[in-house]
Structures are given as structure tokens and as C-alpha cells.
Amino acid sequence: MTDLPARDNPWLFRTYAGHSTAKASNALYRGNLAKGQTGLSVAFDLPTQTGYDSDHELAKGEVGKVGVPISHLGDMRALFDQIPLDQMNTSMTINATAPWLLALYIAAAEEQGADIAALQGTVQNDIIKEYLSRGTYICPPAPSLRMITDVAAYTRQHLPKWNPMNVCSYHLQEAGATPEQELAFALATATAVLDDLKTKVAAEDFPEMVGRISFFVNAGIRFVTELCKMRAFVELWDEITAERYGVSDPKFRRFRYGVQVNSLGLTEQQPENNVYRILLEMLAVTLSKNARARAVQLPAWNEALGLPRPWDQQWSLRMQQILAYETDLLEYGDLFDGNPAVTKKVEALKQGARAELAQIDSMGGAVEAIAYMKSRLVEANADRIARIEGGETTVVGVNRWQQGEPSPLTSGPEAIMTADKDAEADQIARLADWRATRDEAKVQLALDALRQAASSGDNIMPPSIDAAKAGATTGEWGDVVRAAFGQYRAPTGVSANPSNRTEGLDEIRAAVNAVSDRLGRRLKFLVGKPGLDGHSNGAEQIAARARDCGMDITYDGIRLTPAEIVTAAQDQNAHVIGLSILSGSHVPLVGELIDLLKSANLAHVPVVVGGIIPEADATHLRKMGVARVYTPKDFELNRIMFDIVALVDPKAVAAE
């Protein structure tokens, strides 16, 4: 029998999962592990991510929608029931509340009898990208940075196998970042964290902590560029850790990263094409051995339509397993060393990233440059969308070859999962039971100790763990943090001044001017994001395009209540209201807003809604009084602008 060549160990196989309740998510995790998944990647719902309990006013409609709700230790216990945490590698996509979720994880592991020092995994714990792209921040940048490094310092002492931070460039690309921007903004975030961490650990321990900073990246469809981007990341990180921080041991300079391949490019049209996109994007982060991902999680082919089923996630897992175990990829060294085309592209990306890094450094670092980076992302995303609209960038099934056979994969009532409609009420009832049966005096003592640590500058982790064990809730932890450090509204990146992007806008500008004349003042468009959804890319691009078309726009960013949006519409005398909701909470939030408009005698103001909205929900929204519903398939922004003009045109209204 011929000896087979030695094979490298494969990366960790993960799927990003969590929904409805801890019990339902636990069943999903155990099912995926039984199918060959080798690590867990936990998705939390928006109340958990932003530090609210499931029964808070802002949590309405959001509970269990984009992830699992975790309000207390009982939920964490249920989430990992029958999953031995000292044998698991767990990635938790959590940022503002990362200290709290790690505290709950530690407390749950101790209940299992685990050796805490054996725990392996990661908390994302990257607040800076939240200000730029995802929006689940709570506090201003300075105290947020402090909590990041508190987690890092604590894990250095107690959790030697735990990665205290995943510098996350994933959402930067989702927000439109160019490869150079993704490189630079992520590396600037890492240096901001390490500069602060140097003050919290002994000098002799610092190189090891540099080695424990990991990254979480995105891989898009231009897979040669993405492969080169990953090689550029490896080389730039080696350069920064050696030159800026003097780390001499090569193993501590290694660029370690996990990846979720691009969800931005998944299309609602001809969604079966997404299978090929996901495969190509996976190749970008696995083909080059010297820049290979340490962990890979793949979206499901139908995520642009709604919640994937277990079978859909299994299909993505099998894609990883086939590449790792059926092909000979892991039997070879790096396939691209010495390739002149790859070397040239890598050097060009590094040069562009260094220029961006120099600009950020000149502004005082990533924390001080948040507004600059945000504006750069909004402009880059506008350029990306304009290229798709104009046909310069081809997206198969979207702007070319739209005609196709209907997909049998999307037919039938069970083509996608829907979140359990009773999950929110169930979660709230169990939360009430938890509060009623805990030792209240013990909880308040623990929260007092947490307040003291927050105000004194002591590490936030030990009192957070004590509060978790005492029975405190996510909202109570969040309230302490909000009271101690204050809340924050990140810059929107949407300038009040029109951009120089004028191509193709003459006709819509003329229409806006004509309607404004008939209205007697400039057409006023209020763009709002109700609820906790922080995915603001769509709202930003709608606001920016409306501005460039000549409308008078108001966009105040994320996380507004329906009441705040209605008050703004009243104060601004808005002609039309646009709502962007991608978390699945559109029905209750829009219903509340429309009721408030009626109460305020503003029922005549048309409402348009955009988001990931199934057709049945879109029909329901229209029956509620919504004038237009847009989903990701509606990529032509100018057509949306013409719709808005028509909705408020007095001549058109009179004709009706």
C-alpha cells in the first residue's frame, strides 16, 4: 500500500448559530456537533448584545430574532446543557457585553465542574468596529477600550487558552470597506488595544498577550484579491508586532484568524447561486497555507431570505469537510510563495493599508479617528453600490442574467425557518421567574461591587463573575455600565453636504425640485432605524442618495424608539418616513410606529420600509398602511428615490 503524504490538521469547522431560546439553540448546537462540527460560534440576540433584558421596552420584537437571548446564568446553563465546556472551543460574537457574557460562561463552566484554565475560545470584544459598522456599542470609546483590555488582562491570569479579543474586520467589509481599508482599520484597532493593554500587564507577559490577540475577517467574492489580502494581513501584523512592540518570538507575531465568508454578497435573487459564492470565498482563506484561517464558519445559501434550517447549515458544513478531507489541499506547502502576480498584489495592498494607517496615526489612533473611518466606509459603500447599479460590477442574477428557472429549493412553506412566535413571551416569563426566585440581597451586593469597580478603575471581570453567580441579569449589568460610563451615539458617516457623485442623477434631481416647488418647500425625508438593529449600511446609503438627489434629509443614526421617530417627524414636518430594519422585528416596530402616527394626526405621512422581509410579512405591512416595502433585491436606489418623490407629489395625490 502506497504511503499517503502527511496532512496538516484542518481548521475548526463552525457555523454561526443561535435563535429563539437557549433550549432551542442548545438542540441546534448538539445536532451540529454530531454532524462533525468541531467548534461552536454563538450568535446572541440584540438585547443581549446591547445590555438589555428581554422584557425591556427596547427589546420588543427583538428577542431571539438574530441570535439567542441570554439574560442570566440560567440561560447560559441551558445553552450549554450536555456540552462539556472544558472540551469545547467556543467563539462568542459579543462586544459591548463581552465581559458579562464571558463571566456567565465562566460561571456555567464552574457549575459543570470544569477546570477554568482549560477553557478555549474567543470573545469578539471589539467595540471600535461597532462604532463603524455594526452598532451594538453601549458606552463611549474610552471606557469601552478599558473593558476590552480588562478582559484581556483577566484572561492572561486565569484563562491561558482563551483569546480575549477578535479584532473584527468582518463588518468593515460588510459596510463597504475596500481591502486596504479593511486591513488598515482592523490593524489600527489592534494597535489601540495593545497600546492600552501594555499598561495592564507586566512587560515580560506582554509578548504572550500580543500572541493571544486574534482576528475575525471577511472573505468576499474576488477571491484572488481576498487571498492576497490575507497574505498582506500576515505580513503587516508580523511587521507591526516586531517593529512597534518589539516582539521577538515569531510564534507571538503569528496572524491568527477565524473567518465568516461574505454575507453582503448573498443575493435574494437566484439564491442557489450563493452556494458557488460561498465555496469560492472559502477558497480565499484556505488555499494559501501561510495565510490559512484557523477557524472557518460559512453562511447558509439562503440567509438573504431568512433564518436557515439545520439542513442548510449542514450543507455549508459539508462544504468545509469535503475540502478538508476529500481533496489533497492539506498535503502541500504554500501554493503561492514566489508567485509574481500574488506578490505584486500583496505589496500593493500593503502600501495602500500603510497609507491609511499613517493617516489614522496622525489623528491620534483608531479611537480618535472613528468619525474619519466611518465617513470613509460610507463613501466606499456608496461607490460599491453605484458600480452595481451602473453595471460596472456584475452580480449574476441581479444586474445580469436576471432571467432564470424558479428554484425548487425555495418552494414550499418550510423553505426557510421562522423564529418561534412564542419565544419572546416564553423568555420573558422565565426571566420573571428567575428574578422572583433569586436571593435579591445577594444580587444587590454583587451589583454594588460592580459599580465600585467601574468607578474605581479596578478590573471589571471579577465583580462581573460574582454578579453572574449571584443571579444578576444582563440588563442589570448593562444598567451599571451605562450609569458608570454614560451612553454614546456614534457618528453616522452621512455628511449634510452632497457628494460629488452626480452621474445618473439629473432626472431624479429635476423631479425632486419640481415636487419641492409644488410642496412649497424642500422635500423632507426622515430616515429612521427603530429598535436595536445596528446594521445601518442600508439606511446610510438611502440617506446619502436622497441627499445627493436634492432632498432635505434627517438621519440621526441607530437605536431609536418608534416614539422618538414620530416626534422627529412632527418636529421636522417630514413629508415621508423611511424605516430600515434588518433584524426581523419589522412587524411589531412598524405597527407601533403607525399607531403613534395616527395618534399624532400624522397618518397622512407615507411610510416606506426596507429590510430582510419575507413576502408574507411585506403583505402584512402593506395592509397596516405601509406605502412601499423594499428588500435586498431592490438594489436600484434611484428607482426608490423616484418612488419617494411620487408618494409625496401633491399633483399625484390630487389625481388619486
Side-chain angles (χ1 to χ4, degrees), residues 191-202:
T191 57
V193 169
L194 288 176
D195 288 350
D196 191 66
L197 183 59
K198 282 182 76 172
T199 67
K200 295 187 177 181
V201 299

mmCIF file with all atom_site columns, all heavy atoms in Angstrom, residues 191-202:
data_model
loop_
_atom_site.group_PDB
_atom_site.id
_atom_site.type_symbol
_atom_site.label_atom_id
_atom_site.label_alt_id
_atom_site.label_comp_id
_atom_site.label_asym_id
_atom_site.label_entity_id
_atom_site.label_seq_id
_atom_site.pdbx_PDB_ins_code
_atom_site.Cartn_x
_atom_site.Cartn_y
_atom_site.Cartn_z
_atom_site.occupancy
_atom_site.B_iso_or_equiv
_atom_site.pdbx_formal_charge
_atom_site.auth_seq_id
_atom_site.auth_comp_id
_atom_site.auth_asym_id
_atom_site.auth_atom_id
_atom_site.pdbx_PDB_model_num
ATOM 1  N N   . THR A 1 191 ? -3.797 47.887 17.334 1.00 0.00 ? 191 THR A N   1
ATOM 2  C CA  . THR A 1 191 ? -2.739 48.663 17.991 1.00 0.00 ? 191 THR A CA  1
ATOM 3  C C   . THR A 1 191 ? -3.315 49.529 19.111 1.00 0.00 ? 191 THR A C   1
ATOM 4  O O   . THR A 1 191 ? -2.665 49.725 20.147 1.00 0.00 ? 191 THR A O   1
ATOM 5  C CB  . THR A 1 191 ? -1.969 49.532 16.985 1.00 0.00 ? 191 THR A CB  1
ATOM 6  O OG1 . THR A 1 191 ? -2.871 50.398 16.303 1.00 0.00 ? 191 THR A OG1 1
ATOM 7  C CG2 . THR A 1 191 ? -1.234 48.676 15.972 1.00 0.00 ? 191 THR A CG2 1
ATOM 8  N N   . ALA A 1 192 ? -4.543 50.044 18.937 1.00 0.00 ? 192 ALA A N   1
ATOM 9  C CA  . ALA A 1 192 ? -5.169 50.819 20.013 1.00 0.00 ? 192 ALA A CA  1
ATOM 10 C C   . ALA A 1 192 ? -5.351 49.958 21.256 1.00 0.00 ? 192 ALA A C   1
ATOM 11 O O   . ALA A 1 192 ? -5.097 50.401 22.389 1.00 0.00 ? 192 ALA A O   1
ATOM 12 C CB  . ALA A 1 192 ? -6.514 51.377 19.551 1.00 0.00 ? 192 ALA A CB  1
ATOM 13 N N   . VAL A 1 193 ? -5.777 48.716 21.053 1.00 0.00 ? 193 VAL A N   1
ATOM 14 C CA  . VAL A 1 193 ? -5.972 47.802 22.179 1.00 0.00 ? 193 VAL A CA  1
ATOM 15 C C   . VAL A 1 193 ? -4.638 47.450 22.835 1.00 0.00 ? 193 VAL A C   1
ATOM 16 O O   . VAL A 1 193 ? -4.490 47.491 24.059 1.00 0.00 ? 193 VAL A O   1
ATOM 17 C CB  . VAL A 1 193 ? -6.704 46.531 21.709 1.00 0.00 ? 193 VAL A CB  1
ATOM 18 C CG1 . VAL A 1 193 ? -6.687 45.452 22.787 1.00 0.00 ? 193 VAL A CG1 1
ATOM 19 C CG2 . VAL A 1 193 ? -8.141 46.875 21.320 1.00 0.00 ? 193 VAL A CG2 1
ATOM 20 N N   . LEU A 1 194 ? -3.641 47.116 22.014 1.00 0.00 ? 194 LEU A N   1
ATOM 21 C CA  . LEU A 1 194 ? -2.350 46.720 22.577 1.00 0.00 ? 194 LEU A CA  1
ATOM 22 C C   . LEU A 1 194 ? -1.665 47.891 23.288 1.00 0.00 ? 194 LEU A C   1
ATOM 23 O O   . LEU A 1 194 ? -1.010 47.694 24.317 1.00 0.00 ? 194 LEU A O   1
ATOM 24 C CB  . LEU A 1 194 ? -1.450 46.158 21.479 1.00 0.00 ? 194 LEU A CB  1
ATOM 25 C CG  . LEU A 1 194 ? -1.862 44.772 20.951 1.00 0.00 ? 194 LEU A CG  1
ATOM 26 C CD1 . LEU A 1 194 ? -0.968 44.350 19.790 1.00 0.00 ? 194 LEU A CD1 1
ATOM 27 C CD2 . LEU A 1 194 ? -1.811 43.725 22.061 1.00 0.00 ? 194 LEU A CD2 1
ATOM 28 N N   . ASP A 1 195 ? -1.818 49.101 22.771 1.00 0.00 ? 195 ASP A N   1
ATOM 29 C CA  . ASP A 1 195 ? -1.230 50.262 23.449 1.00 0.00 ? 195 ASP A CA  1
ATOM 30 C C   . ASP A 1 195 ? -1.818 50.420 24.845 1.00 0.00 ? 195 ASP A C   1
ATOM 31 O O   . ASP A 1 195 ? -1.112 50.771 25.793 1.00 0.00 ? 195 ASP A O   1
ATOM 32 C CB  . ASP A 1 195 ? -1.464 51.539 22.628 1.00 0.00 ? 195 ASP A CB  1
ATOM 33 C CG  . ASP A 1 195 ? -0.620 51.601 21.365 1.00 0.00 ? 195 ASP A CG  1
ATOM 34 O OD1 . ASP A 1 195 ? 0.289  50.756 21.211 1.00 0.00 ? 195 ASP A OD1 1
ATOM 35 O OD2 . ASP A 1 195 ? -0.883 52.482 20.523 1.00 0.00 ? 195 ASP A OD2 1
ATOM 36 N N   . ASP A 1 196 ? -3.127 50.173 24.981 1.00 0.00 ? 196 ASP A N   1
ATOM 37 C CA  . ASP A 1 196 ? -3.765 50.274 26.298 1.00 0.00 ? 196 ASP A CA  1
ATOM 38 C C   . ASP A 1 196 ? -3.408 49.083 27.176 1.00 0.00 ? 196 ASP A C   1
ATOM 39 O O   . ASP A 1 196 ? -3.187 49.226 28.383 1.00 0.00 ? 196 ASP A O   1
ATOM 40 C CB  . ASP A 1 196 ? -5.283 50.370 26.120 1.00 0.00 ? 196 ASP A CB  1
ATOM 41 C CG  . ASP A 1 196 ? -5.996 50.746 27.415 1.00 0.00 ? 196 ASP A CG  1
ATOM 42 O OD1 . ASP A 1 196 ? -5.788 51.883 27.882 1.00 0.00 ? 196 ASP A OD1 1
ATOM 43 O OD2 . ASP A 1 196 ? -6.744 49.911 27.956 1.00 0.00 ? 196 ASP A OD2 1
ATOM 44 N N   . LEU A 1 197 ? -3.333 47.904 26.578 1.00 0.00 ? 197 LEU A N   1
ATOM 45 C CA  . LEU A 1 197 ? -3.054 46.693 27.344 1.00 0.00 ? 197 LEU A CA  1
ATOM 46 C C   . LEU A 1 197 ? -1.655 46.719 27.954 1.00 0.00 ? 197 LEU A C   1
ATOM 47 O O   . LEU A 1 197 ? -1.429 46.126 29.023 1.00 0.00 ? 197 LEU A O   1
ATOM 48 C CB  . LEU A 1 197 ? -3.226 45.461 26.439 1.00 0.00 ? 197 LEU A CB  1
ATOM 49 C CG  . LEU A 1 197 ? -3.054 44.092 27.092 1.00 0.00 ? 197 LEU A CG  1
ATOM 50 C CD1 . LEU A 1 197 ? -4.042 43.889 28.232 1.00 0.00 ? 197 LEU A CD1 1
ATOM 51 C CD2 . LEU A 1 197 ? -3.217 42.986 26.045 1.00 0.00 ? 197 LEU A CD2 1
ATOM 52 N N   . LYS A 1 198 ? -0.732 47.412 27.313 1.00 0.00 ? 198 LYS A N   1
ATOM 53 C CA  . LYS A 1 198 ? 0.637  47.491 27.840 1.00 0.00 ? 198 LYS A CA  1
ATOM 54 C C   . LYS A 1 198 ? 0.667  48.032 29.258 1.00 0.00 ? 198 LYS A C   1
ATOM 55 O O   . LYS A 1 198 ? 1.575  47.729 30.035 1.00 0.00 ? 198 LYS A O   1
ATOM 56 C CB  . LYS A 1 198 ? 1.501  48.391 26.937 1.00 0.00 ? 198 LYS A CB  1
ATOM 57 C CG  . LYS A 1 198 ? 1.972  47.733 25.665 1.00 0.00 ? 198 LYS A CG  1
ATOM 58 C CD  . LYS A 1 198 ? 2.842  48.645 24.852 1.00 0.00 ? 198 LYS A CD  1
ATOM 59 C CE  . LYS A 1 198 ? 4.243  48.754 25.440 1.00 0.00 ? 198 LYS A CE  1
ATOM 60 N NZ  . LYS A 1 198 ? 5.158  49.493 24.529 1.00 0.00 ? 198 LYS A NZ  1
ATOM 61 N N   . THR A 1 199 ? -0.331 48.845 29.607 1.00 0.00 ? 199 THR A N   1
ATOM 62 C CA  . THR A 1 199 ? -0.368 49.435 30.948 1.00 0.00 ? 199 THR A CA  1
ATOM 63 C C   . THR A 1 199 ? -0.961 48.487 31.980 1.00 0.00 ? 199 THR A C   1
ATOM 64 O O   . THR A 1 199 ? -0.948 48.805 33.177 1.00 0.00 ? 199 THR A O   1
ATOM 65 C CB  . THR A 1 199 ? -1.191 50.734 30.930 1.00 0.00 ? 199 THR A CB  1
ATOM 66 O OG1 . THR A 1 199 ? -2.577 50.422 30.672 1.00 0.00 ? 199 THR A OG1 1
ATOM 67 C CG2 . THR A 1 199 ? -0.697 51.690 29.850 1.00 0.00 ? 199 THR A CG2 1
ATOM 68 N N   . LYS A 1 200 ? -1.478 47.338 31.560 1.00 0.00 ? 200 LYS A N   1
ATOM 69 C CA  . LYS A 1 200 ? -2.211 46.454 32.473 1.00 0.00 ? 200 LYS A CA  1
ATOM 70 C C   . LYS A 1 200 ? -1.544 45.109 32.702 1.00 0.00 ? 200 LYS A C   1
ATOM 71 O O   . LYS A 1 200 ? -2.026 44.331 33.531 1.00 0.00 ? 200 LYS A O   1
ATOM 72 C CB  . LYS A 1 200 ? -3.643 46.233 31.948 1.00 0.00 ? 200 LYS A CB  1
ATOM 73 C CG  . LYS A 1 200 ? -4.488 47.495 31.936 1.00 0.00 ? 200 LYS A CG  1
ATOM 74 C CD  . LYS A 1 200 ? -5.933 47.194 31.576 1.00 0.00 ? 200 LYS A CD  1
ATOM 75 C CE  . LYS A 1 200 ? -6.775 48.457 31.652 1.00 0.00 ? 200 LYS A CE  1
ATOM 76 N NZ  . LYS A 1 200 ? -8.201 48.211 31.336 1.00 0.00 ? 200 LYS A NZ  1
ATOM 77 N N   . VAL A 1 201 ? -0.515 44.809 31.946 1.00 0.00 ? 201 VAL A N   1
ATOM 78 C CA  . VAL A 1 201 ? 0.196  43.546 32.158 1.00 0.00 ? 201 VAL A CA  1
ATOM 79 C C   . VAL A 1 201 ? 1.687  43.828 32.293 1.00 0.00 ? 201 VAL A C   1
ATOM 80 O O   . VAL A 1 201 ? 2.191  44.846 31.808 1.00 0.00 ? 201 VAL A O   1
ATOM 81 C CB  . VAL A 1 201 ? -0.044 42.542 31.006 1.00 0.00 ? 201 VAL A CB  1
ATOM 82 C CG1 . VAL A 1 201 ? -1.515 42.200 30.880 1.00 0.00 ? 201 VAL A CG1 1
ATOM 83 C CG2 . VAL A 1 201 ? 0.486  43.072 29.691 1.00 0.00 ? 201 VAL A CG2 1
ATOM 84 N N   . ALA A 1 202 ? 2.372  42.929 32.960 1.00 0.00 ? 202 ALA A N   1
ATOM 85 C CA  . ALA A 1 202 ? 3.814  43.090 33.143 1.00 0.00 ? 202 ALA A CA  1
ATOM 86 C C   . ALA A 1 202 ? 4.529  43.023 31.801 1.00 0.00 ? 202 ALA A C   1
ATOM 87 O O   . ALA A 1 202 ? 4.075  42.338 30.872 1.00 0.00 ? 202 ALA A O   1
ATOM 88 C CB  . ALA A 1 202 ? 4.343  41.995 34.073 1.00 0.00 ? 202 ALA A CB  1
#
